[in-house]
Each structure stands twice: as structure tokens, then as C-alpha cells.
Amino acid sequence: MARIDETRPFVPVKIAVLTVSDTRTLEDDKSGTTLSERLLAAGHILAERTIVTDDAEKIRDRVLSWSKDPQIDVIISTGGTGFTGRDVTPEALEPIFEKRMDGFSEVFHRISYDKIGTSTIQSRATGGVVNATFVFVLPGSPGACRDAWDNILQYQLDYRHMPCNFVEIMPRLNEHLTRGGKG
């Protein structure tokens, strides 16, 4: 069973929060604030936080830029995962995933189902790796952000979480670039 190994040190992770919205500002962005407050309370570092409009190119450009920044380990986006015409976050980001994280979406939907029932199918939450940076794509509601952080991300982004966690594999995310003497 999952547990926290108190003999291991806590390792702060540098996390960027991206809100995708045509209408929000930093002052009224409840989802971005929810994520920022939770990651800071857990002892992580809020490396960056911004808002971009529901524009696939702007979303992709921001994530690609952050994924190349050595001061950012993880990117969490919120918004744009529904089915309306402006919801394009998965379309913007999934094509640049070097590796998809199907399990994140599956676990997120399992948790969400327990809270909102079949309405969970209206979210296209996803996750993957871009330039050796974990990227999590969440719905734009504060409740969905709480569910994802409280039930998945706070544990997987904690080095002490056992039997495994994302922090311990972060140094190996780009090893494919150095195999065979290429690096």
C-alpha cells in the first residue's frame, strides 16, 4: 500500500502553473490559485504562474518554453479540457508529449467519478512528458484541481511517497538523449 517514508528527505519540486482561459485574470483565477496554494503548502516552489487564452499555439508555446527552462520540473495547466469550441488544451499539448501518461487520466477520472458521477466524461484531463518535464492537464474548475492535487499529484510529487513517485525518476527522464554515446 502507498505510504510516506519519513526516513527519506522531502525534495521541493519547481512547479509552473498555467491557466488557460479567455476570461480569467490572476486576481479571479480560482483554479490557478487553488493549485498554487496547495503546492506551496506542500513545500514545493511556485516557479512560474501565468494565464494564456484558449489558443492552441499560445498554450503549446508557453509549455514548450517552460519545459526547456531548467528552473521548472513540472507544469500543471488548468482549463480548456472540455468539449466546447474553445477547449483546445489537449489538442495543443498531446502532440508534443514524448510520452503519454494514460494512468494519470484514468486515476483522475476514477477519483472524479466518485465526486461527480458520469459528468467526469466531460473532462479530457491528460498528462505526459515534454522535454524531460512532467506536464499535467487539468480541468478549469477549482474542485477538479483540488481532486487532482489532493489525491494524485501531492503524492506523486513527494519523494517520500512509496512504493514509487515521479521525483525519483526526474533525473532519468532525458536518458534517451545520452544512450549510445550521443550525449
Side-chain angles (χ1 to χ4, degrees):
M1 191 51 134
R3 63 182 173 80
I4 296 293
D5 181 349
E6 297 293 345
T7 66
R8 297 179 89 174
F10 178 79
V11 176
V13 176
K14 299 171 290 219
I15 304 172
V17 175
L18 175 65
T19 299
V20 177
S21 175
D22 288 332
T23 60
R24 297 285 175 232
T25 65
L26 287 176
E27 291 74 34
D28 66 3
D29 172 24
K30 293 179 183 174
S31 296
T33 298
T34 296
L35 289 167
S36 298
E37 288 174 350
R38 279 175 153 65
L39 72 88
L40 289 168
H44 296 295
I45 299 161
L46 180 60
E48 293 277 348
R49 180 177 174 198
T50 196
I51 298 175
V52 298
T53 58
D54 291 278
D55 176 281
E57 187 173 338
K58 289 179 182 176
I59 298 164
R60 187 179 309 112
D61 288 349
R62 172 56 58 198
V63 168
L64 282 170
S65 173
W66 279 351
S67 72
K68 295 173 185 171
D69 184 338
Q71 296 305 309
I72 295 175
D73 301 313
V74 173
I75 300 166
I76 305 173
S77 76
T78 174
T81 66
F83 287 95
T84 69
R86 297 291 292 159
D87 292 326
V88 297
T89 308
E91 288 81 7
L93 299 180
E94 286 181 338
I96 62 172
F97 286 170
E98 296 153 14
K99 295 189 179 194
R100 266 183 76 133
M101 194 182 310
D102 294 327
F104 174 76
S105 179
E106 293 164 5
V107 171
F108 174 82
H109 283 292
R110 175 63 181 92
I111 291 164
S112 181
Y113 180 82
D114 289 344
K115 305 242 175 147
I116 63 171
T118 60
S119 294
T120 190
I121 66 172
Q122 294 190 33
S123 164
R124 296 178 300 139
T126 187
V129 176
V130 178
N131 294 318
T133 303
F134 286 114
V135 178
F136 301 97
V137 180
L138 307 179
S141 76
C145 291
R146 275 190 301 275
D147 290 346
W149 181 267
D150 293 353
N151 297 290
I152 305 170
L153 297 176
Q154 79 167 331
Y155 299 111
Q156 283 301 302
L157 297 177
D158 189 334
Y159 178 69
R160 303 168 302 166
H161 183 264
M162 302 305 284
C164 58
N165 59 76
F166 287 138
V167 180
E168 63 193 353
I169 64 172
M170 283 180 180
R172 297 178 44 215
L173 289 178
N174 65 357
E175 67 186 5
H176 64 286
L177 300 174
T178 59
R179 282 194 195 131
K182 294 180 184 176

